[in-house]
Structures are given as C-alpha cells and as structure tokens.
Amino acid sequence: MSDYAPLLIGLVALLAGLTVGKAWERYKLRDGRWIDRRRARESPHYILGLNFLVANQIDLAIEELSRAASVDEDALEVHMILGNLYREKGQVGKAITVHQTLLQRPKLTKLEHAYVLLCLGLDYKRGGFVDRALEAFNEVLKLDAKNEYALLNLQKLHEEQHQWTEAYDTRRRLLKLAAIDSNPHSQAIRSFLENEIGLEHMRRREYGEAVRRFEAAIDLDSRAVPAYLNLGDVRVAEGNEREAAAVWERLIDVAPDRAYLAFDRLEALATRTGNPERFTRLCRRLIEENPQDWRGRLALSRHLAAKGQPREALDLLFAALVQNPHALSIHQAIWRALGQLHHPASLVHRYTELTQHAVFYLDPHVCMRCRYRSTELLWQCPHCHDWNTFVEERIAPAQDPTEVEV
C-alpha cells in the first residue's frame, strides 16, 4: 500500500489543483464578496436574449440581454453582444459608447482587447467614420496579426474608398492566413481588384502596367468580363485594333451570355476598319450557336437598320421578341424600324399579336446570393458586396396584361 502512496498523493493534488483552477475561473472577489462569473450566462434573461436574437427579434433580444448584463456588470461578452445589437438597430452612438466603455476596463486580456476594438471598428464603419474605423482595424492587427475579420473589413473599407492597391495588399495578407487562394470566389475577388488597379493605370495612360493587370485578372478568372473589355480598350488606345478585336472576340467565346457588352465596341471597330461584314458574321454565328440569344438579334438589327435595311432588321426583331417579349429595348427598336417603313398595317398587326400579353421591363438582373435586383448589370452587389453574382433574371409574364414593371 505504501508503494501507491506517492501516486495517490499526486492524484489528490491534481484534483485539488483542478478544483481551485475552476473556482478561480468561475469566481471573482469584488468589494469583499465572491462574484460568480457565470451568473450572467446562466441567467434566464441571457438564454431568452439569445433565443430572440436567433429569431431576429432584435428589440426583445436587447431587452433581455440588458437584464442579463445587470446581473453581472463584468460579463464582457454580454456587453459586447449588446453593443453589436445596438449597431444592427442603427443606434451607432450607443454601440460606440458601450464598446468604448469596455475598452476602459483595466484587466482586459490581449485577445479581449482585440475583439472589443474589432466591434468598435465595425461601429465606426457603420457610422461612416472611415478614418476611425481604419485606425481601429489596424490596432486590432497590432494586437492580433492573424485576425481575419479585421483584415476582411479593412479590405472592404479600402474598396469603398476606391483605394484598390491597399485593398489588394490587404487581400493578399488575408489569403496567406486563410489559405483560400484556390477558392474560385477568392480568385474572382482578386481578379476584380486587379481589374480596378488596371483601370487606374489606364487613366494615367500607363498602358503597359494596365495590360499586365488586366491579363492577370483574366488569368485569375477566365470570365472576368470587365477585364476583357478594358484590355481591348487599352489595345485600341495603343493603336493595335487587331489585337483589340481578338480580345473582345475571345470574351464572346468564353462568356457568350455577356457577348452583348462588346457589341458596340466590335461594331464601331468593324465600321472604322472598313469591314462591317465581320460584325454581321459574328452576330449570325452567335444566333446560330444559341437560338435564344435575343441580344445578338437586337444588335444585328440595329446594324442593318443603320445600313438602310429596316425590313431585314424587323425580321430579326420579331424573332428576338419571341425569345424575350418583355425587353423594352426590343420594342423601341421595332417602332424605329416600323417608322422607317412608314408603319405598314400588316407588320403593325403582327407586332400587336406578338405583344398581346407582354410585360415591359428594363432587362433586370438579380444577385444570385442575396436576390438584389438591378436594371443594370453590376459587377459588385451594392447590398451584399459580392462580385460577379449578377445574372439576367428570367420571369414569367404576369397574369394581368396591364401590369408594367420598370
């Protein structure tokens, strides 16, 4: 038995140490009284507050968490959540006050200090205090250099200020930490930033660096449509129109659903070089490869109408109308062509038959992530700030033929 005595003594000492450690973690001496640190989290108000938060009932969550915070003023996490809820409610001043008060606590750990600063930076960002938000996020990174949330918000702030180089550098720091460089979404973001930096060089007429940036954007994301368009523009500015045409035609091969974005450029280039048939052949090839491509028909009809062939243009427009009877641009082009032909009754009658149940709208696009709708094709969603998520929205004709959506 005596042989086991040292082992038993060691086990008892270990258990005693664990008990004391847990008690020290849970209890705190304040004003001569031992305070239970877990009281706020074990309070029914805390649980109710979290339930209301999950149910997106922010007002009730604030009310219950405020009661939980009153149980223990030292409950840091409860006060942090409260501040964040105030921010979500738009009460930025209250949120800033709560988080600034937390920063005054004398015994915050380094990690706690970093996360309170992160919350304060988000408050400043929501309130539009850009300089203070930048300062707060940079302070977070001084305390915690691997804080991905601070880097991500710092990147977004630089983007909102159109500081594309700073945003790109911040993105690279984030990629080193998160190891997500091969993620398609991450590559699309880098491609977007490369394109924006290329535009800055293009505006300064630094064409060599602009070309490098646009090509890097395309290497990162083969469907980076703006990069193709801008690269072709640079080639035109350099006087290399053949290369510009090749770039834009490559865009059409890679992303035929976005081909219409290059139509005006290609048509102008074909006319300027004395080879308008090149544009005609391109449009007809697109139509043959995709019979539902109404934009190709619309572009070709405009080209033919400008050349004095309104009857051929009208045939293409009627075919486009069958594919998309809701696009206002088709109807406008049809009436221009009918005007050139002096409104023959048979063609007007055919038009009215095709459009009997049509609903007009301005080619809406929708974000695949948050369903934000826009009448323009956007590269970055203004609602969720995601890139390359906008696609053309397909909707069925409304039951009420008098409904007009613009």
Side-chain angles (χ1 to χ4, degrees):
M1 185 69 180
S2 60
D3 294 338
Y4 294 100
L7 179 59
L8 291 174
I9 292 171
L11 288 173
V12 171
L14 177 61
L15 291 173
L18 289 173
T19 303
V20 171
K22 286 293 182 182
W24 183 260
E25 176 188 357
R26 178 167 181 174
Y27 295 97
K28 177 181 180 182
L29 184 64
R30 188 175 70 189
D31 298 330
R33 294 184 301 120
W34 288 100
I35 305 299
D36 188 350
R37 294 174 185 259
R38 298 184 186 177
R39 282 195 306 167
R41 284 180 292 178
E42 293 176 355
S43 164
H45 298 298
Y46 181 73
I47 304 300
L48 281 172
L50 292 182
N51 286 335
F52 285 130
L53 181 57
V54 171
N56 201 29
Q57 296 176 291
I58 305 298
D59 291 326
L60 293 174
I62 289 175
E63 181 180 344
E64 294 297 334
L65 289 173
S66 297
R67 293 177 180 176
S70 66
V71 174
D72 183 5
E73 293 295 330
D74 289 339
L76 179 71
E77 68 275 17
V78 179
H79 289 279
M80 285 178 63
I81 294 172
L82 268 175
N84 292 337
L85 289 177
Y86 285 135
R87 181 178 65 246
E88 291 303 313
K89 281 287 293 180
Q91 300 173 351
V92 178
K94 268 190 176 182
I96 291 173
T97 300
V98 170
H99 292 135
Q100 284 181 335
T101 302
L102 292 177
L103 283 177
Q104 303 307 314
R105 295 191 176 187
K107 295 184 179 180
L108 287 177
T109 66
K110 188 176 180 181
L111 189 60
E112 289 172 340
H113 194 172
Y115 275 94
V116 176
L117 267 174
L118 178 64
C119 292
L120 186 60
L122 293 172
D123 297 338
Y124 288 141
K125 180 184 175 186
R126 179 68 177 272
F129 306 111
V130 177
D131 292 338
R132 292 184 181 182
L134 287 170
E135 183 180 352
F137 292 136
N138 282 315
E139 286 296 323
V140 172
L141 292 171
K142 288 179 183 178
L143 294 168
D144 180 12
K146 296 183 178 181
N147 194 304
E148 296 178 18
Y149 299 103
L151 284 169
L152 184 59
N153 282 284
L154 197 59
Q155 174 198 326
K156 288 185 176 180
L157 272 178
H158 286 310
E159 291 165 7
E160 290 168 5
Q161 300 303 307
H162 291 186
Q163 298 168 340
W164 304 114
T165 302
E166 292 82 352
Y168 184 80
D169 292 340
T170 306
R171 185 69 191 177
R172 291 183 65 184
R173 288 177 62 185
L174 180 61
L175 292 176
K176 289 179 181 178
L177 293 178
I180 55 174
D181 195 30
S182 59
N183 185 304
H185 177 65
S186 177
Q187 289 186 324
I189 293 174
R190 284 185 60 197
S191 174
F192 171 82
L193 294 174
E194 289 276 11
N195 177 70
E196 294 298 330
I197 295 172
L199 281 173
E200 288 186 342
H201 288 292
M202 185 176 172
R203 282 190 286 269
R204 295 195 292 264
R205 298 190 178 184
E206 298 169 354
Y207 296 138
E209 185 62 20
V211 167
R212 189 180 74 82
R213 290 291 187 172
F214 293 140
E215 288 178 343
I218 293 169
D219 290 339
L220 287 165
D221 181 8
S222 61
R223 287 180 58 87
V225 176
Y228 286 100
L229 297 174
N230 296 328
L231 180 58
D233 291 341
V234 172
R235 294 304 189 192
V236 170
E238 292 177 328
N240 193 344
E241 294 185 335
R242 179 178 296 179
E243 182 64 24
V247 170
W248 292 330
E249 289 174 0
R250 182 153 57 102
L251 159 63
I252 292 173
D253 293 334
V254 171
D257 55 324
R258 296 289 187 262
Y260 63 93
L261 295 171
F263 282 159
D264 289 344
R265 290 174 168 86
L266 285 167
E267 183 182 12
L269 187 60
T271 303
R272 191 165 59 248
T273 56
N275 188 15
E277 289 302 317
R278 181 173 182 173
F279 180 72
T280 303
R281 289 194 299 271
L282 173 68
C283 290
R284 294 196 185 280
R285 176 172 66 84
L286 281 172
I287 295 168
E288 289 175 4
E289 292 174 355
N290 183 10
Q292 296 181 341
D293 185 2
W294 62 273
R295 293 183 186 275
R297 290 185 172 91
L298 177 61
L300 182 55
S301 71
R302 288 171 174 170
H303 181 69
L304 294 176
K307 292 172 59 179
Q309 303 175 35
R311 189 65 182 82
E312 292 82 352
L314 203 55
D315 289 338
L316 287 164
L317 289 169
F318 284 149
L321 198 60
V322 171
Q323 300 301 329
N324 189 359
H326 316 296
L328 185 59
S329 54
I330 297 178
H331 296 272
Q332 292 172 334
I334 286 175
W335 281 109
R336 283 194 293 269
L338 287 172
Q340 286 181 275
L341 294 170
H342 306 292
H343 304 94
S346 60
L347 294 177
V348 173
H349 178 67
R350 183 180 174 191
Y351 169 75
T352 56
E353 285 185 338
L354 289 172
T355 59
Q356 186 175 2
H357 299 293
V359 179
F360 299 166
Y361 65 87
L362 292 175
D363 306 341
H365 293 79
V366 62
C367 175
M368 291 185 292
R369 179 176 178 184
C370 69
R371 308 308 297 172
Y372 175 86
R373 294 182 67 216
S374 170
T375 55
E376 300 178 8
L377 174 63
L378 303 176
W379 306 118
Q380 183 181 19
C381 176
H383 184 263
C384 69
H385 303 291
D386 207 351
W387 289 278
N388 293 331
T389 56
F390 271 83
V391 296
E392 185 180 335
E393 186 176 28
R394 299 290 185 180
I395 61 174
Q399 296 299 318
D400 181 2
T402 64
E403 180 182 352
V404 176
E405 181 180 352
V406 177

